[in-house]
Amino acid sequence: MSRKPISVVKSRLHHNCSEVIQPVNSTHSLNDTTWCNWAPFDKSNYKELLGAVDNAFLVAYAIGMFISGIFGERLPLRYYLTAGMLLSGLFTSLFGLGYFWNIHVLWYFVLVQIFNGLVQTTGWPAVVSCVGNWFGKGKRGLIMGIWNSHTSVGNILGSLLAGVWVDQQWGLSFVVPGVITAIMGIITFFFLIEYPEDVDCSPPQHHGNPEESQDQPEDPANGPSCNKESSLESAVTCSKEASAQPSAISFFGALRIPGVVEFSLCLLFAKLVSYTFLYWLPLYISNVVHFTAKEAGDLSTLFDVGGIIGGILAGLVSDYINGRATTCCVMLILAAPMMFLYNHVGQRGIGISIVMLLICGALVNGPYALITTAVSADLGTHKSLKGNAKALSTVTAIIDGTGSIGAALGPLLAGLISPTGWNNVFYMLIAADVLACLLLCRLVYKEILAWKSSLSKDRGSNVALTHA
């Protein structure tokens, strides 16, 4: 909600002023087509400057993410998230206050975005860790797919809130989401429960078979085992002691977990595509269809509605087929031609535009949502860690941090390429989508082999039963 307003306000910071009626007391020439724009974005290089503002946030976010996960494993998540949300609200509001303070220097907006990017890195590793602490691997894809819809809901709320004030006092498009973010930080402080054990609930089964855990009650890697018939108090004490033993994993130790590198690089290109849409879609709609800033912002929310559907669908399918990489790969393959079609036929009518935005949103954001949630939680509780779930925040930070490099590159490249034509921007997005798919080929192959092995075992057991 706090990141989306910039994409809506962009088309207000620079647009064709000849279409705007000048005030009665205006001293501007009738031929002046930039009088209503906000300096320093009133010049012909406004796309590059807006790209630089986006990039300031995203580069800071990418760099900070690698550090944030390490802190997230070692600090109380409730305090960590609260501080991050309060500071995020502050810096989001400061960007909007530039309107009321009549600030027209680029460095102010860039500096605010840098600090905002750094403090917002506290969020994702911490929240994925919290949800991962509560839910095991059984239906994790579906549960996290539904939970991850909050990102798209936030984008939609950010667009709608920004649209209310974008044509009048655009500063409020940032101040209001900033205040709401800070208030939610206070609510987090009072009500977030980090671990099931804190409220006398049993921790989830992260991997493997529960029966296997009972066969090895004294495994030192997993800690002491609790008897089924023991009292609730002793079960809670036991689970707390077990969770207290493992130490936080190192950065390079997390990199050695199978699949972390492949999914991280895949997310780099997948997030490049997603964030280019996030930051540039309203401006693209405004330029191509000539909608107002509010209309373009409202229409762009359909991409995020599609993202909700895609995230849930990706989680559901990946649970059913037990193949995270294959699910991502298929959606990425389908996304490439859909983006091409959206650019060429998506603006021929409002009905076609709505349908294409929903489909593109689902196919683009589905893999992105799956990798940053269920895949990160799976790898953070991988069986190679022998029960140590203290890698969740670090693994999530590595995957999302690498993805954030792509998120920084996408809007920057869009700002540089868009003056040559929007077609070239879409060709860049399609190329990134194909690369994301190719990076998962090895993991897809491993999943196919696992399916074949499972099928052959099933056939063997069926044959044995028939003979018996």
Side-chain angles (χ1 to χ4, degrees), residues 332-342 356 430 433:
L332 289 167
I333 289 170
L334 294 173
M338 291 309 301
M339 285 189 288
F340 180 83
L341 287 173
Y342 173 68
M356 295 293 290
I430 291 168
D433 187 84

Side-chain angles (χ1 to χ4, degrees), residues 195-217:
Y195 298 98
E197 303 95 303
D198 294 340
V199 286
D200 294 348
C201 291
S202 300
Q205 184 74 26
H206 284 300
H207 57 80
N209 193 326
E211 294 176 2
E212 293 173 6
S213 300
Q214 291 173 7
D215 292 340
Q216 299 172 335

